[in-house]
């Protein structure tokens, strides 16, 4: 089933023989801001392989060196990302095209030798005593740094994906044009502390080599300020007072002593201190309530996670003055909140935010496979997390830049950061693994320091995992913990994402018992392995199948045919060839057994959407159900939130950001106030993820046969529901004459009869049976499958659809009403609504209030969607469903609304 994409292979040959993008030396010089305290990012480079650019660093970093034939790339581009920017490769994510880049041709592998990054920057005339610093923000894997013909640092000193290094290049720069050149050495995550992808996706051909977090030019006076931060000690449980402690590092860059005045403002409080700095001395300048009583604040604004309150932020500005002139300025933003954790009596980690226990509900983050920096996409992904109702993102390595954490602060999304599994990061922790050298340990320590400084001010960051699949060995664990403490790390330090511990951290309180591949929805309610108890650090039912339009963008016709007809065939877009996840036959077997053998690709995709919705919803709902249990669920991280490339596995939304069944199943389960069914006990529960008590709720419960007839109905009134708790309402009766496939329909409305939550389940009187005794690390086999095949017999129905669009200052709101006429003979199951623009493309990203919805005759449902404003022509609504033929409906334009009236779903 493999395809050789010859045009891409030829492009690779062309890359070696004749560059495709041309750049002129000095044509894109970066203008450096001249004021003290300014930080100017290098915006662009010219890059070339050292196989072609064989001159010395001294020559390449001098003015006048010709970069004709080099590739012009953006400031944070890895080598592969830069080549893609230049159009060197086309459709790199289609089928197995990427393999053509990974397999060297006759000219050799492009990425085994260093690549040159060269740029020019312009400095203004600076006052006497000014200094210019060069800041590298992480390098994969390492680099020699040259400025104007001088070697500033070699690759032994600029190594690792995360360490931030400042170099005073004042002696080698001048007013006017200057040249910076990096000789970037190849990365290999098995041998360097960089970034690896394990079985998430194919290994990038260049191993992500390059200055992936960028390089900055910093202007300062004789005294530089670094690493400003604020720690807060909040009174619990009343939250009425907070004690702030402010620190900043002052560094004398001169060979003479300096008297320096440090001033600042934090949360409206003015700070002032004069210090003496010996030549080249560095001091940490601290302000506490003991020195500045005003740092005891009353009634502060408290930062809360999403769903529990607002997310206010405070600011800190600090200035160093020398001889009456500004020498440097720094600033930081921070939030006031308390994060602690403790172990339950069963030994699992429970997080508390501002004294309140919180059920962690999140997903595992993946950046772009080539580490391409896309601010608009990153914010769109945070809006998806918000729309999903999740409260947490786990970053297993591949830690992002500061923008990521700024967005998390703004949206109230908690971040569990930590180092990645496998590769070099965990080689010393594995039996038979290679121990680290002294140089490795230094890079790891520098990485830990830099990440602590980056993360510690952000209220969204609630902990750091110093290990993933394995806790680090004793000496490395101690180094990590000592380093974090030295940087005033304020939140829990966790040994690993697995059930391990270290002397410094104690037990992790986490479990990593699977599954990672298909299991039935009932699995999640079990008291075994990955069931809903304790803290599951990474877990899901494996395959998440994108919608049909996305599958055709990523798979060849042969791969599409294999997807539904030949489940034993390895899928390149599933996982690495060595991985048990390179095929999705367990998913396909279950799909055919439960829903019926697929008749064609469209039928396969339709059944997969139903299955993904049901399973993902059950996973999150099981953890909801057990949050108040004797052995409580304390956290669940869906593996994964997103993908680094188009994938058939592990995502709540796909690479194309087209929400599908998994997305809407998660969104349904994570409603702030929610009604749900329990697969283990048949209980009906209410869940309140907010801190607000609800009163006077009303519930309707129905059990329906396949033909839609109501076999059981009950209405409940005047229900109260405590904030941050669950409440069981009743257990469904065992009815003897239910159809083999039946439905449970649940409705929750407020005291004033406004809709709060609606949930529909398709169930079988024949349950799935799990073979627990033969479980392995990634799945539990099934001996008998639930029978939902009767869904195939539902007669076709047509829904009435109406839609309007309102133009708002910050985008458009589309309102869609679906109605199944009362005279209809059957239900309309699992209707999916899409929005297509005038050019026929889907309107993405999109934020729906709900989707993949089910109606019975006489029922109506109104959905809303937020999309970006684009073009003047109104879009078209497309509705399809399990037994509903696809129809397109024009959208009428409603009156314009002010931004102040907007409500995001």
């Amino acid at each position: 089933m493999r395809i050789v994409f010859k045009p891409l292979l030829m492009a690779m040959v062309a890359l070696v023989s004749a560059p495709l993008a041309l750049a002129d030396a000095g044509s894109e010089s970066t203008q450096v801001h001249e004021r003290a305290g300014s930080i100017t990012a290098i915006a662009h480079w010219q890059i070339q392989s050292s196989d072609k650019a064989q001159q010395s660093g001294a020559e390449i970093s001098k003015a006048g060196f010709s970069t004709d034939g080099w590739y012009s790339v953006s400031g944070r581009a890895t080598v592969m990302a830069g080549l893609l920017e230049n159009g060197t490769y086309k459709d790199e994510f289609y089928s197995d095209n990427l393999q053509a880049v990974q397999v060297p041709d006759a000219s050799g592998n492009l990425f085994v030798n260093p690549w040159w990054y060269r740029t020019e920057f312009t400095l203004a005339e600076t006052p006497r005593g000014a200094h210019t610093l060069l800041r590298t923000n992480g390098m994969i894997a390492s680099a020699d740094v040259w400025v104007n013909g001088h070697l500033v640092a070699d690759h032994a000193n600029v190594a690792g994906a995360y360490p931030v290094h400042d170099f005073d290049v004042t002696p080698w720069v001048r007013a006017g044009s200057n040249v910076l050149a990096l000789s970037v050495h190849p990365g290999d995550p098995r041998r360097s502390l960089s970034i690896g992808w394990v079985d998430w996706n194919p290994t990038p051909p260049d191993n992500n080599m390059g200055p992936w977090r960028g390089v900055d030019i910093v202007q300062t006076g004789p005294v530089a300020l670094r690493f400003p931060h604020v720690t807060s000690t909040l009174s619990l449980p009343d939250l009425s007072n907070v004690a702030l402690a402010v620190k900043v590092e002052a560094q004398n860059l001169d060979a003479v002593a300096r008297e320096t005045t440090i001033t600042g403002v934090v949360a409206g409080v003015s700070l002032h201190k004069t210090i003496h700095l010996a030549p080249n001395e560095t001091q940490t300048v601290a302000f506490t309530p003991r020195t500045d009583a005003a740092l005891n604040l009353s009634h502060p604004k408290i930062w809360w996670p999403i769903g529990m309150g607002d997310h206010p932020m405070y600011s800190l500005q600090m200035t160093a003055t020398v001889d009456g002139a500004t020498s440097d300025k720094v600033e930081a933003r921070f939030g006031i909140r308390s994060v602690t954790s403790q172990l339950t009596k069963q030994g699992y980690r429970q997080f508390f935010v501002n004294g309140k226990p919180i059920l962690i509900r999140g997903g595992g983050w993946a950046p772009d496979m080539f580490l391409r920096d896309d601010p608009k996409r990153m914010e769109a992904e945070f809006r998806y997390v918000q729309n999903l109702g999740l409260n947490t993102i786990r970053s297993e390595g591949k830690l992002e830049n500061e923008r990521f954490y700024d967005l998390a602060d703004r949206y109230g999304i908690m971040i569990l950061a930590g180092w990645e599994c496998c590769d070099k990061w965990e080689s010393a922790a594995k039996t038979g693994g290679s121990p680290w050298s002294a140089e490795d340990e230094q890079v790891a320590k520098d990485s830990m320091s830099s990440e602590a400084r980056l993360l510690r001010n952000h209220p969204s960051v609630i902990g750091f995992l110093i290990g993933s699949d394995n806790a680090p060995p004793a000496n490395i664990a101690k180094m990590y913990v000592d380093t974090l403490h030295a940087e005033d790390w304020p939140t829990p330090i966790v040994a690993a994402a697995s059930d391990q511990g270290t002397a410094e951290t104690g037990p992790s309180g986490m479990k990593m018992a699977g599954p990672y591949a298909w299991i039935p929805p009932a699995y999640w309610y079990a008291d075994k392995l990955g069931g809903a108890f304790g803290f599951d650090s990474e877990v899901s039912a494996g395959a998440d199948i994108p919608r049909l339009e996305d599958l055709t963008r990523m798979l060849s016709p042969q791969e599409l045919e294999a997807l539904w007809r030949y489940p034993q065939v390895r899928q390149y877009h599933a996982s690495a060839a060595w991985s048990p996840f390179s095929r999705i036959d367990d998913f396909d077997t279950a799909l055919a057994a439960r829903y019926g053998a697929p008749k064609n690709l469209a039928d396969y995709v339709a059944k997969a959407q139903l299955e993904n919705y049901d399973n993902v919803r059950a996973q999150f709902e099981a953890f909801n159900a057990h949050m108040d249990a004797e052995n409580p669920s304390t956290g669940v991280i869906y593996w994964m939130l997103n993908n680094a490339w188009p994938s058939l596995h592990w995502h709540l939304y796909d690479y194309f950001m087209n929400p599908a069944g998994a997305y809407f199943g998660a969104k349904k389960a994570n409603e702030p106030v929610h009604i749900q069914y329990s697969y283990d006990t048949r209980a009906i529960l209410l869940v309140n993820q907010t801190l607000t008590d609800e009163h006077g709720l009303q519930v309707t419960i129905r059990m329906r046969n396949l033909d839609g007839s109501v076999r059981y109905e009950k209405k409940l009134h005047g229900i109260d529901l405590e904030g941050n708790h669950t409440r069981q309402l009743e257990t469904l009766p065992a009815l003897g004459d239910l159809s083999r496939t039946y439905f449970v329909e649940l409705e929750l409305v407020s005291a004033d009869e406004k809709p709060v939550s609606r949930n529909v389940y398709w169930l079988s009187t024949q349950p799935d049976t799990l073979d627990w005794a033969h479980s392995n690390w990634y799945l539990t086999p099934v001996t008998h499958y639930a029978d939902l095949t009767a869904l195939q017999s539902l007669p076709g129905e047509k829904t009435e659809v109406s839609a309007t669009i309102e133009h708002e200052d910050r985008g458009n709101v589309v309102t869609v009403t679906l109605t199944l006429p009362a005279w209809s003979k059957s239900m309309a199951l699992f209707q999916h609504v899409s929005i297509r623009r005038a050019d026929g493309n889907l309107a993405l990203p999109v934020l729906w209030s709900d989707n993949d919805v089910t109606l019975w005759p006489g029922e109506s449902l109104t959905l809303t969607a937020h999309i970006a404003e684009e073009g003047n022509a109104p879009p078209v609504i497309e509705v399809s469903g399990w037994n509903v033929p696809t129809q397109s409906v024009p959208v009428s334009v409603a009156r314009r609304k002010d931004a102040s009236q907007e409500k995001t779903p």
Side-chain angles (χ1 to χ4, degrees):
M1 304 301 294
R2 299 271 58 84
I3 300 170
V4 177
F5 187 61
K6 292 184 178 179
L8 182 58
L9 191 58
M10 293 303 294
M12 181 177 167
V13 174
L15 172 62
V16 176
S17 59
L20 302 178
L22 300 179
D24 297 323
S27 63
E28 296 180 293
S29 182
T30 297
Q31 183 69 45
V32 176
H33 303 299
E34 61 184 277
R35 69 182 184 279
S38 69
I39 301 173
T40 304
I42 297 297
H44 33 67
W45 304 90
Q46 281 79 48
I47 68 171
Q48 184 57 271
S49 169
S50 62
D51 293 334
K52 291 185 67 66
Q54 298 182 4
Q55 297 89 340
S56 68
E59 187 175 353
I60 289 173
S61 64
K62 284 184 178 178
F65 179 83
S66 174
T67 54
D68 289 345
W70 288 39
Y71 299 86
S72 183
V73 305
S74 57
R76 294 181 178 180
T78 63
V79 172
M80 188 66 190
L83 297 178
L84 290 171
E85 288 176 10
N86 282 269
T88 306
Y89 303 113
K90 305 292 186 184
D91 297 325
E92 68 277 5
F93 286 157
Y94 178 73
S95 186
D96 61 357
N97 286 356
L98 197 59
Q99 288 194 135
V101 191
Q102 292 173 308
V103 179
D105 70 352
S107 301
N109 192 310
L110 294 172
F111 310 110
V112 297
N113 291 317
W115 276 68
W116 282 104
Y117 279 67
R118 186 185 188 277
T119 192
E120 299 189 8
F121 61 95
T122 303
L123 294 175
E125 289 283 353
T126 55
R128 184 181 178 87
H131 287 256
T132 298
L133 308 181
L134 176 69
R135 177 173 296 160
T136 59
N137 295 300
M139 197 69 60
I140 300 176
S142 60
D144 304 305
V145 180
W146 294 80
V147 173
N148 290 338
H150 298 274
L151 179 64
V152 174
D154 68 18
H155 63 277
N157 297 313
V158 185
Y162 302 105
V164 177
H165 296 293
D166 282 354
F167 302 101
D168 190 345
V169 296
T170 307
W172 304 299
V173 297
R174 54 186 173 263
S177 181
N178 296 268
V179 179
L180 166 64
L182 309 175
S183 175
V184 178
H185 291 249
D188 183 342
R190 297 168 298 177
R191 296 178 174 85
S192 61
L193 293 171
S194 56
I195 286 177
W197 298 90
V198 201
D199 53 3
W200 296 15
N201 45 258
T203 299
D206 65 341
N207 276 315
N208 297 127
M209 65 187 295
W212 73 293
R213 279 182 167 180
V215 176
D216 301 323
I217 306 296
V218 181
Q219 294 289 85
T220 181
V223 173
L225 297 179
R226 301 191 303 174
F227 315 137
H229 74 104
V230 182
T231 56
S232 55
T233 304
L234 188 61
S235 63
L236 299 175
D238 61 13
L239 311 180
S240 62
N241 292 279
V242 67
L244 301 182
V246 178
K247 288 185 180 180
V248 68
E249 190 174 281
Q251 181 182 23
N252 184 0
L253 300 174
D254 280 353
V256 297
R258 293 290 186 181
E259 293 289 325
T260 305
T261 299
I262 310 296
T263 59
V265 178
V266 59
V269 178
S270 296
L271 306 172
H272 184 280
K273 184 176 290 188
T274 299
I275 63 172
H276 176 85
L277 290 170
N280 302 121
E281 181 188 3
T282 298
Q283 284 188 31
T284 297
V285 184
F287 303 87
T288 71
R290 288 187 177 183
T291 62
D292 296 82
L295 291 175
N296 278 315
L297 303 183
S298 297
H299 307 294
K301 300 175 188 175
I302 307 300
W303 187 95
W304 286 97
I306 188 171
M308 300 181 80
D310 295 330
H311 330 300
M313 297 291 291
Y314 286 88
S315 63
L316 165 70
Q317 297 91 26
M318 305 209 77
T319 301
T321 303
V322 177
D323 296 332
T326 298
S327 179
D328 204 2
K329 291 184 175 182
V330 291
E331 61 184 27
R333 288 176 60 78
F334 66 98
I336 294 174
R337 57 90 177 96
S338 165
V339 176
T340 59
S341 70
Q342 66 186 39
L343 299 182
T344 65
K345 65 182 181 180
Q346 293 84 10
Y348 295 105
R349 189 168 297 272
Q350 171 76 68
F351 280 89
F352 296 80
V353 178
N354 301 326
K356 301 291 186 182
I358 186 167
L359 175 62
I360 299 296
R361 296 168 288 113
W365 176 262
D368 175 76
M369 177 177 169
F370 303 117
L371 304 181
R372 288 172 288 195
D373 187 45
D374 187 339
K376 287 183 64 176
R377 181 184 176 96
M378 184 180 284
E379 179 154 16
E381 296 199 60
F382 268 91
R383 296 197 73 189
Y384 270 15
V385 175
Q386 178 190 49
N387 183 250
L388 279 162
L390 303 178
N391 61 20
T392 304
I393 292 172
R394 179 186 165 208
S395 293
E396 185 202 1
K398 303 154 197 65
L399 302 171
E400 290 280 8
N401 59 47
E402 188 148 26
R403 186 190 312 112
F404 179 86
Y405 304 101
D406 288 340
L407 289 167
D409 293 341
R410 186 194 314 167
Y411 284 99
I413 306 301
M414 295 178 288
I415 305 296
L416 268 176
W419 301 128
E420 65 187 57
C421 87
C422 318
D423 297 329
K424 184 72 173 184
W425 285 99
E426 287 194 349
S427 63
K430 297 177 181 177
T431 302
S434 59
W436 285 1
S437 66
E439 291 78 13
D440 293 330
E441 291 194 28
Q442 187 60 53
V443 171
K445 182 178 181 180
D446 291 343
S447 298
M448 192 73 267
S449 292
S450 294
E451 287 306 294
R453 293 163 180 162
L454 173 65
L455 303 181
R456 64 190 175 186
N457 282 324
H458 292 278
S460 55
V461 178
I462 63 168
F464 198 95
L465 281 67
I466 60 173
S468 181
D469 292 22
N470 295 280
N475 64 315
I476 296 174
K478 185 177 188 306
M479 176 272 290
Y480 282 146
V481 172
D482 288 349
T483 303
L484 285 165
H485 287 163
E487 299 295 345
D488 296 325
W489 184 255
T491 59
I493 304 170
V494 183
S498 60
D499 183 14
Q500 298 183 25
T502 70
E504 291 74 21
T505 63
S508 70
M510 304 275 182
K511 63 175 181 173
M512 191 186 283
Y516 296 90
W518 191 86
I519 43 79
Y523 174 101
W524 301 110
Y525 287 85
D527 58 357
K528 303 175 180 67
L529 298 177
F533 62 92
F535 198 118
D536 255 334
S537 66
E538 51 179 70
V539 69
S540 76
D544 289 303
I545 306 302
R547 294 188 59 79
L548 184 58
E549 55 265 34
D550 296 338
L551 289 172
T552 58
R553 294 174 67 180
M554 59 191 269
L555 302 182
S556 68
Q558 296 96 323
E559 289 166 326
L560 289 169
E561 183 180 16
L563 184 64
W564 72 274
R565 295 189 67 176
Y566 309 113
Q568 293 295 332
V569 172
R570 184 215 164 200
Q571 286 282 351
Y572 185 64
H573 282 261
S575 189
W578 55 264
S579 168
F581 313 116
S582 63
R583 298 187 305 272
I584 55 174
D585 47 321
D586 53 344
F587 176 86
D588 288 349
T589 298
L591 197 70
R594 300 176 96 241
Y595 291 95
K599 304 176 181 66
N600 49 50
L601 178 61
D603 186 51
Y604 172 87
V605 174
K607 288 170 177 173
Q609 299 311 311
L610 213 62
E611 170 58 36
N612 285 156
Y613 182 105
D614 190 27
N615 209 310
V616 174
R617 175 180 59 179
Q619 177 175 336
F620 283 106
E621 286 186 339
F623 281 81
N624 289 345
H626 295 167
M627 61 188 283
D628 292 330
E630 179 66 19
N631 183 8
S633 53
T634 59
V636 58
I637 301 296
Y638 187 86
W639 208 246
M640 297 176 66
L641 173 69
N642 59 345
N643 294 131
W645 82 318
S647 178
L648 300 170
H649 255 125
W650 302 329
H651 60 255
L652 292 178
Y653 55 88
D654 70 359
Y655 186 82
F656 305 110
M657 298 191 69
N658 187 8
Y663 183 102
F664 293 111
K667 177 174 172 58
K668 178 59 62 179
N670 287 291
E671 293 172 327
V673 180
H674 178 64
I675 187 168
Q676 65 181 59
Y677 165 85
S678 295
Y679 277 84
D680 57 342
T681 63
R682 299 170 56 83
I684 305 301
L685 279 78
L686 299 184
V687 181
N688 189 350
Q689 302 285 6
T690 77
L691 296 180
T692 303
D693 296 345
E694 297 287 339
H695 301 285
L697 297 172
Q698 304 175 59
V699 168
T700 301
I701 303 168
R702 297 186 186 92
M703 297 174 68
R704 295 178 180 267
N705 273 334
L706 184 67
D707 63 6
S709 59
V710 177
R711 293 289 300 112
Y712 173 84
E713 183 172 23
K714 189 168 186 177
K715 295 181 181 290
L716 304 171
H717 301 275
I719 301 168
D720 295 334
L721 179 60
E722 187 179 353
N724 207 24
H725 281 284
T726 64
R727 177 173 175 176
Q728 181 171 326
L729 298 179
E730 70 162 46
T731 300
L732 293 183
L735 303 179
D737 54 351
L738 278 176
S739 54
R740 192 172 182 83
T741 299
Y742 67 98
F743 302 92
V744 171
E745 181 185 12
L746 307 175
E747 293 179 349
L748 175 66
V749 300
S750 62
D752 57 358
E753 299 192 349
K754 293 181 179 178
V756 175
S757 176
R758 182 177 185 271
N759 215 344
V760 173
Y761 298 81
W762 42 100
L763 302 168
S764 174
T765 57
Q766 174 182 302
D768 296 288
T769 304
L770 288 147
D771 183 7
W772 292 102
H774 291 92
S775 299
N776 59 32
W777 65 273
Y778 61 89
L779 64 77
T780 295
V782 176
T783 56
H784 295 93
Y785 292 95
D787 183 4
L788 300 166
T789 56
L791 293 175
Q792 298 177 111
S793 67
L794 287 173
E797 289 294 351
K798 185 176 181 180
T799 306
E800 296 176 353
V801 184
S802 63
T804 61
I805 185 170
E806 292 180 280
H807 301 285
E808 301 182 350
D809 291 343
R810 290 178 290 182
N812 292 332
V813 176
V814 178
T815 301
V816 181
T817 299
L818 305 176
T819 302
L820 187 62
W823 42 260
S824 301
K825 296 181 179 180
S826 181
M827 65 191 303
L829 177 64
F830 208 67
Q831 297 170 92
H832 184 82
V833 185
S834 301
I835 303 172
R836 291 195 181 273
R837 299 194 185 276
D839 61 4
N841 292 321
L842 290 172
L844 298 173
V846 58
L847 300 172
W848 283 102
S849 60
D850 199 1
N851 211 326
D852 290 347
V853 295
T854 295
L855 294 174
W856 277 273
E859 292 184 337
S860 182
L861 198 61
T862 297
L863 314 176
T864 59
H866 286 240
I867 59 174
E869 190 165 359
E870 187 175 305
N872 297 319
V876 172
I877 296 300
E878 189 173 274
V879 180
S880 59
W882 178 264
N883 61 326
V884 178
T886 300
Q887 58 176 314
S888 296
V889 177
V891 177
S892 60
V893 179
R895 64 179 179 81
R896 190 174 185 87
K897 186 188 293 184
D898 293 335
S900 59
Q901 297 175 279
E902 180 183 2
K903 292 184 179 180
T904 302

